[in-house]
Amino acid sequence: MIFGIVSAAVHVLCGATLGVLTGGPVGLLVGAVVGLLVGVPFGWSVAAARVYGPDVRGVLLFVVDHTWSLPNTAVGALYLALHLVFGHSLDRPTSQRSCRVNLVEGVSPRYATTIGTVCAGSGPGIQRHEDVHIFQARLLGPLYLPLVVGNYVLFTVAPVWLLWHDHTNAPINRFTRYFEIGVYPHVWNEAIAYRIQGTPPR
């Protein structure tokens, strides 16, 4: 319970701080409300599923997720809130003491998606892959999301990945495959995760 309360409070405090820095007293109020709307569902999920254990690992990762990796956690909290709005379910058994929030449903039935510490649509066959993304975010902290977005933009407009892409087994023969088979599996964070677990789409 304490982890959930602290997590929600951190989101509200950060929202209020960003708000006052960018918009004065009005920004303070808006930021606090946004932090509340995002932080409370995340805090509830953390508490309800007992995401962080009371051991050294659980406490340490909670601290990392709410300090150095807070931008990733905040975006993940927003992602979680949107899933809950659409009626998606918290996967309590797989979330418990895992230091991540798992959701049963994903954005697409074909893919799991992880943002911050929130995994949507994952399962035993791909969980290690998704855990790599959580580790990457914790390691790189505030640099992680800009580096991921930057790589997607770069590989979309300058497809240097075509130099090492497997054209025989994964041909790029229509527009949607350019992104699904080309850009997506070649960005740095996905390429690393697929080496640890999973098979890139073909």
Side-chain angles (χ1 to χ4, degrees), residues 100 111-112 114 119 122-133 136 184-185 189-201:
R100 66 173 180 267
Y111 297 104
T114 297
C119 299
S122 189
I126 198 69
Q127 189 61 62
R128 279 182 58 220
H129 175 109
E130 300 307 316
D131 287 343
V132 171
H133 295 319
Q136 290 166 339
Y184 161 72
N189 63 313
E190 292 296 345
I192 292 170
Y194 275 119
R195 287 188 184 204
I196 291 172
Q197 185 187 39
T199 304

Side-chain angles (χ1 to χ4, degrees), residues 4 24 34-35 45 47 53 55 72 74 94 151 164 183 188:
V34 170
S45 299
D55 56 350
N72 305 308
T94 63
N151 197 181
W164 62 86
V183 175
W188 70 270

Side-chain angles (χ1 to χ4, degrees), residues 38 64 98 110 190:
V38 170
V64 169
S98 66
R110 293 188 60 199
E190 292 296 345

